[in-house]
Amino acid sequence: MRRHVEFQRLHNFRDLGGYRTRDGRTVRWRRLYRSDSLAKLQGQDWEDFLALGVRTVIDLRYPWEIEAKGRIPEAEGIAYANLSVEHRPYDQAEIAPGLDPWRYLADRYAEVALDGAAELRRALELIADGSAPQVFHCASGKDRTGLLAALVLALLGVDEDDIAADFALTELATERLIADWREANPARTLNWPGYGRAPEVVIRLFLAELAATYGSVDAYAVGHLGVDEALLSRLRAQLLD
């Protein structure tokens, strides 16, 4: 099974299947995908996407991003949900080059985990209640998408090393993400050298922050997101073999 799904315009579309859990089960292939913005789908990419049989799309971007950049085309049989998990916008191109970039990103993730409780819980509910392939995405498929992917994998019982390795696979798309930014912003200068990067340390810092604050990812989900054991059981039943 292939983790990366190739498209012409999408750079970061990946299958979350295949990871082993601590109790010996495996995340199902071809059930849950993560991606950069599906607004870029057109032509053969659109046909290839439809062939995956995706029935639920979770768009984690701000409504103003969707207004400016578009959304996935409407199609019969595909449910669409906009769950804007981030509540404090910032411009990554303008992050000060002198800041510790990975600590800075981990702190922004912590803000999303705090502020976006309702949206994150709803995303988990949609994933847990889906019986067909699903995909969630943001703009680059890196930060908001990476955070949700880490939460899902952690709640399924996947080890942190695998979660961190999955997060860092975005590094394979960094050059193309930068090229997209430059094409979309010809009059601007990309000031932050960490743009498009996703080293393992970022998600490890974020997971450590959750553990320090709440005790564990599961405790965070229950105590802050309001997730109950029934939802966790449905999530695991849907996604684990």
Side-chain angles (χ1 to χ4, degrees):
M1 305 296 281
R2 291 187 301 124
R3 184 162 309 285
H4 287 83
V5 182
E6 297 297 327
F7 292 92
Q8 295 174 25
R9 289 287 298 143
L10 301 182
H11 310 315
N12 206 11
F13 195 108
R14 309 204 303 267
D15 194 323
L16 283 171
Y19 293 115
R20 297 297 298 273
T21 64
R22 287 183 291 274
D23 62 2
R25 291 186 283 178
T26 304
V27 182
R28 287 180 179 145
W29 289 99
R30 304 300 182 254
R31 287 298 299 274
L32 186 61
Y33 300 95
R34 51 174 293 173
S35 181
D36 46 329
S37 175
L38 299 184
K40 296 182 283 186
L41 285 172
Q42 56 182 300
Q44 187 59 50
D45 275 357
W46 177 237
E47 298 303 321
D48 292 343
F49 174 80
L50 292 177
L52 296 174
V54 169
R55 290 294 173 264
T56 304
V57 172
I58 301 171
D59 188 338
L60 303 175
R61 295 175 299 160
Y62 289 99
W64 54 261
E65 288 179 275
I66 297 168
E67 183 176 355
K69 300 293 186 179
R71 48 154 283 183
I72 187 173
E74 294 188 27
E76 185 177 355
I78 298 180
Y80 173 84
N82 176 212
L83 301 174
S84 180
V85 296
E86 189 178 273
H87 291 226
R88 308 184 212 184
Y90 62 103
D91 186 347
Q92 288 202 4
E94 298 297 338
I95 295 174
L99 289 175
D100 177 344
W102 316 137
R103 179 73 264 176
Y104 182 89
L105 284 181
D107 289 345
R108 304 292 75 72
Y109 292 14
E111 291 174 353
V112 173
L114 180 66
D115 300 340
E119 293 85 1
L120 289 169
R121 182 178 64 250
R122 181 58 183 149
L124 292 173
E125 290 170 346
L126 288 172
I127 293 168
D129 292 337
S131 57
Q134 300 174 295
V135 59
F136 55 90
H137 76 90
C138 54
S140 297
K142 180 174 82 73
D143 300 307
R144 290 164 287 187
T145 295
L147 184 155
L148 180 55
L151 289 181
V152 170
L153 292 175
L155 293 173
L156 293 175
V158 174
D159 284 335
E160 183 177 312
D161 285 349
D162 287 330
I163 294 171
D166 180 83
F167 178 83
L169 287 175
T170 287
E171 296 265 283
L172 299 175
T174 295
E175 290 186 7
R176 287 171 291 171
L177 294 173
I178 291 173
D180 276 0
W181 186 92
R182 294 190 189 282
E183 181 180 353
N185 300 275
R188 294 182 61 192
T189 299
L190 184 57
N191 292 318
W192 185 47
Y195 188 89
R197 295 288 311 281
E200 290 188 8
V201 63
V202 177
I203 204 66
R204 289 188 187 275
L205 286 169
F206 167 66
L207 292 173
E209 181 76 14
L210 285 190
T213 303
Y214 299 95
S216 68
V217 176
D218 281 31
Y220 158 75
V222 172
H224 187 68
L225 301 187
V227 169
D228 58 20
E229 188 57 42
L231 192 156
L232 293 176
S233 295
R234 295 199 309 276
L235 187 72
R236 292 161 184 158
Q238 287 289 358
L239 295 179
L240 294 179
D241 284 328

